[in-house]
Amino acid sequence: MPKRGKRKADFQGVHALLVFPFAEDFHLLLDLMRRFSAAVRYAYNRLLEGKPREELKRQESPLCAFFGLNTRYADDAILKAQALLDSARELGEDPRKVVFGGRKLFETLKRGHLSGKPLKEVKREWREKRQGTLYSRGDKTKGGNLNLRLEAEDGALWLRVNLGNGSYAWALVKTSHPNLSALVERVHASLPYNVELSLKDGKVHATFTWEEEPTPLAATKENGVLALDVNSDPYHLALALVSPDGNLRRHLTLSLEEVVDRAEKRGAKELLLWKMAHQVVALALEEGVAIATERLRYLRKSRRGDGSGRAFRRKQHRFAYASLLRKVHSLARKRGVQVVEVNPQDTSTIGMLKYAPQLSLSKDVAAAYVIGRRALGFKEKLPKGYQKLLGDGAFLVQAWDFYRARAEELRTQKRNERDRSRRNRLSRELKKAQGALSLLSSPLGSPGSQDGFTEGRKRPGANAWRVLRVGTFLPLLGREVPRDLSPLKVFLHRGAWEGWRGCLGPPPGGGPKCANVHFG
């Protein structure tokens, strides 16, 4: 049995604004931030040259002697430089072309098209990003943080800044962050915390971070999973409780419409999202199961003028998927609930094609069910009925003819359309039709792969689930994302195509010519 890896520590943080009772302290700190930022740039260039960290952080090195930093500040500058270097390499960028202060601002200044107040604002922002950084690691042996130390006095929290020459600057920490009490506890217990200062709009902001040991697991996937899927229309959370054998034990939905009603009030919106996260984690603890979610890195947002429509953009921008998942994950770790993230590939498609018609589920609950099964290690096999349907040439020809006619119609509409937004919408629809034609004309690959690779070799052919989706949803059910998926039962169980063969007009529900079609 494979060994379990060590659970990652949970990072916590507090954001705050620094207030300086004495202007001299503020200016001394700005000078220290300027020198530290320059040291980071120097260290970055030396690391590119292959200089070792041990050599750079010595007392006699230029980082200490030239920039007036103590060895701990110098070492922290090297760590910041190394992090930037590693990030550039991981992103596939040329490390020699990294721009300190931001490439976008650099290119703006380089063009030289600004003057007056706008130019001053850009220059100020450029200087702040390039020269306004200070960082110090926490150290348990030093009572928390040696260079940037927090002191709690008379109910107030102060930051003592070591200026590197035996003197100190003081700043009042101003924040109402919910993790403030946890930070104060660490200060009193002399536990380590990292501090990073940044300059923005002429003010110094502080970020305090620390690691907390993970809570022992009280709910794991050995007992099953509670899978969740967030949906924007209607705005709700679909939950599926999946047993260890992969069967669906129960399901429910939680509305998120109240979040939309208070979207303009960020505090109220955040409170409601936290309330929803507490409900999800409480249910997982009650059942003793893990939480399963999709691993989404990026959600595309539509923009004005792309033809997506105002109503659709409003739904997209209110979609707090990432924010809700972060809260669920954070709370679950604190409560000892295991979190399992899975590849999101085709979860909605498989749910709609397989489990929605088979178990009479909504498309959203069906997608959550697929997420739960995937978290437990189950792979979705293509039902025999669908295999038979994909092997029927008449089905593929019907779908091909539909998208070929649709593509031609969209090209005609686009040529005759003068409104830019509508042309963009037609272009997007045309691209989808062309993509469907490409899928229908490609040989089919295996439907069982989640990552597209097997035994080190790329799996050839089009994804069978996607071919089924483009071949059934719009041509036969009349919508790209249909609500009623029950008509697919006949294909799921029997692969019957006979009931559709005589239909040469619009799809069922899509026009009068096919209004009386009976499912085979």
Side-chain angles (χ1 to χ4, degrees), residues 352-474:
M352 286 189 287
L353 285 167
K354 188 175 182 179
Y355 294 112
Q358 179 178 324
L359 302 177
S360 299
L361 302 174
S362 70
K363 66 178 184 64
D364 307 319
V365 171
Y369 183 32
V370 175
I371 293 171
R373 283 176 55 85
R374 188 168 290 181
L376 292 169
F378 292 95
K379 296 195 175 182
E380 304 299 342
K381 295 182 180 180
L382 198 66
K384 292 182 179 179
Y386 283 149
Q387 292 179 22
K388 182 179 178 182
L389 184 62
L390 288 173
D392 193 321
F395 164 71
L396 297 175
V397 168
Q398 171 86 3
W400 171 272
D401 289 341
F402 173 85
Y403 282 106
R404 184 177 59 180
R406 179 171 175 78
E408 186 59 37
E409 181 183 356
L410 289 169
R411 288 191 191 95
T412 303
Q413 293 179 5
K414 183 180 175 181
R415 283 196 299 268
N416 298 331
E417 183 59 61
R418 295 187 177 182
D419 182 80
R420 181 180 177 182
S421 179
R422 292 177 183 174
R423 281 178 60 87
N424 289 337
R425 178 180 60 80
L426 291 171
S427 295
R428 291 195 302 114
E429 294 299 322
L430 178 59
K431 188 176 181 179
K432 290 180 183 179
Q434 292 170 338
L437 287 172
S438 178
L439 274 174
L440 291 166
S441 62
S442 300
L444 295 179
S446 170
S449 174
Q450 295 174 17
D451 54 10
F453 291 85
T454 176
E455 298 178 357
R457 301 177 67 182
K458 191 169 183 179
R459 192 180 298 278
N463 185 297
W465 293 108
R466 297 178 188 177
V467 174
L468 280 169
R469 176 169 181 158
V470 301
T472 56
F473 284 7
L474 192 57

Side-chain angles (χ1 to χ4, degrees), residues 124-151:
R124 178 189 58 77
E125 187 177 356
W126 164 260
R127 283 193 298 269
E128 288 181 346
K129 286 183 177 292
R130 189 173 171 85
Q131 302 176 358
T133 299
L134 183 63
Y135 174 73
S136 178
R137 287 168 299 148
D139 191 334
K140 188 175 182 178
T141 62
K142 304 298 182 182
N145 196 303
L146 181 62
N147 282 329
L148 300 177
R149 184 185 297 277
L150 286 168
E151 302 282 354

